Amino acid sequence: MQITITLNGKKVSADVAPDALLIDFVRSHGCYSVKRGCETSNCGLCTVFLDEKPVLSCSVLAARADGHRVTTLEGLQEEAAEFGGFIADQGAEQCGFCNPGFIMNALALFRENPYPSEEEIKEYLAGNLCRCSGYEGQLRGIQAFLAWKKSKEAAE
């Protein structure tokens, strides 16, 4: 089956099997930030944006994305780098395996709710698995980023 997806702003066409998953499609096109973690749609490591909405690419058939826009962390480098530094400053990137999915979900949260409360942050990111930390570093990183963003906007 021939599909065409706009992947990180570039049209990509490929033949895929009817049961091919979106995670396999994006990884086969060099998007290695999208990772397999659980194979059960529970860890958030495979998060991509499908038409600007976060989805678990291990749960979406590649054919379902035909004609749509898919964005991975590779397509959001500038936006991700700005936020990712705050996570690193809090020591929340111990092994780094969960970072791409975590950052994708945090960016989706900020787009949906620019200034979430602590409870809203915890609720939104509940589906992200991190085996190294207790999530406190990530939470502190998000809160530091939001405080920085508020002060930056106030200065403008």
Side-chain angles (χ1 to χ4, degrees):
M1 152 186 304
Q2 182 76 19
I3 64 170
T4 301
I5 294 174
T6 302
L7 180 59
N8 295 325
K10 296 177 185 168
K11 288 234 184 235
V12 177
S13 294
D15 260 338
V16 297
D19 63 346
L21 295 173
L22 184 57
I23 187 172
D24 298 317
F25 182 89
V26 298
R27 287 185 60 82
S28 72
H29 287 88
C31 299
Y32 300 118
S33 69
V34 183
K35 299 178 181 163
R36 274 194 161 76
C38 67
E39 299 284 342
T40 59
S41 305
N42 287 310
C43 71
L45 296 178
C46 66
T47 301
V48 301
F49 291 167
L50 179 61
D51 293 332
E52 302 302 318
K53 298 289 183 200
V55 299
L56 299 172
S57 62
C58 74
S59 300
V60 176
L61 293 173
R64 296 289 305 241
D66 185 29
H68 295 274
R69 290 173 295 129
V70 175
T71 308
T72 67
L73 192 58
E74 287 83 356
L76 298 170
Q77 287 300 301
E78 190 174 312
E79 188 177 357
E82 184 177 66
F83 167 65
F86 286 88
I87 297 298
D89 285 346
Q90 296 298 322
E93 60 172 6
Q94 291 176 23
C95 82
F97 193 70
C98 69
N99 279 356
F102 185 84
I103 290 173
M104 290 295 290
N105 280 299
L107 294 176
L109 169 63
F110 301 149
R111 289 175 177 189
E112 187 176 307
N113 183 352
Y115 293 102
S117 68
E118 183 173 326
E119 276 309 305
E120 290 169 324
I121 294 167
K122 287 178 179 179
E123 182 179 314
Y124 202 94
L125 299 176
N128 289 279
L129 178 64
C130 175
R131 292 180 173 107
C132 298
S133 75
Y135 301 98
E136 289 303 312
Q138 285 100 335
L139 182 59
R140 286 191 312 269
I142 288 173
Q143 291 168 329
F145 172 74
L146 293 173
W148 170 80
K149 193 167 106 176
K150 275 185 184 177
S151 68
K152 180 179 165 185
E153 289 172 0
E156 293 174 352

